[in-house]
Amino acid sequence: MKFPKLVNRLCPFCRKHTQHKISQNKRQAASSLSRGSKYRARKRGVARGTGNLGRYSKPAVTKFKRTGAKETKKTDLRYTCQECKKSHTQRKGIRSKKFELK
Ligand SMILES: [Zn+2]
């Protein structure tokens, strides 16, 4: 999916349509101590009790498969107003395998 770099959108700060610059938000790597990671760790029989007890270095059990994993990712765009230079995010992400700013 190709997207233009500049679009006319409503700026919530200026309250009018202005030219916006689109930039993609870079996804940050998930923390090894996050909740989702703890869930998966529990599936392989670690992360019981408090603290990690140094048990995160064990290899993952390959039997456990995450179901419902999607092939596509939702876009996470930032719109920067060219007049006031403030930025806001998109309301709904669009699913696409490949995203490109043109
Ligand atoms: Zn603005």
Side-chain angles (χ1 to χ4, degrees):
M1 191 181 186
K2 280 178 184 171
F3 230 74
K5 273 178 188 166
L6 289 167
V7 282
N8 279 319
R9 283 180 75 91
L10 180 85
C11 175
F13 308 100
C14 307
R15 286 183 183 178
K16 61 179 181 182
H17 278 76
T18 54
Q19 204 168 53
H20 283 73
K21 208 175 167 184
I22 302 176
S23 62
Q24 256 186 300
N25 186 41
K26 279 174 192 133
R27 285 188 184 276
Q28 288 170 328
S31 162
S32 64
L33 291 169
S34 71
R35 199 185 157 103
S37 146
K38 277 233 164 166
Y39 169 76
R40 266 175 267 132
R42 210 168 290 126
K43 285 274 175 191
R44 24 180 251 255
V46 288
R48 288 199 192 92
T50 48
N52 70 13
L53 305 164
R55 281 187 256 179
Y56 273 100
S57 50
K58 282 176 190 171
V61 175
T62 46
K63 257 186 189 176
F64 171 64
K65 201 183 163 191
R66 281 201 294 161
T67 54
K70 292 189 170 58
E71 259 188 48
T72 55
K73 293 264 177 286
K74 271 190 181 178
T75 55
D76 191 6
L77 304 177
R78 304 284 138 118
Y79 295 101
T80 312
C81 177
Q82 296 293 82
E83 276 189 30
C84 63
K85 303 284 174 194
K86 283 176 183 172
S87 68
H88 62 275
T89 55
Q90 64 176 9
R91 287 208 171 153
K92 250 183 189 176
I94 316 153
R95 286 210 166 270
S96 70
K97 275 189 180 178
K98 208 174 156 188
F99 187 80
E100 216 178 303
L101 282 174
K102 209 178 167 184

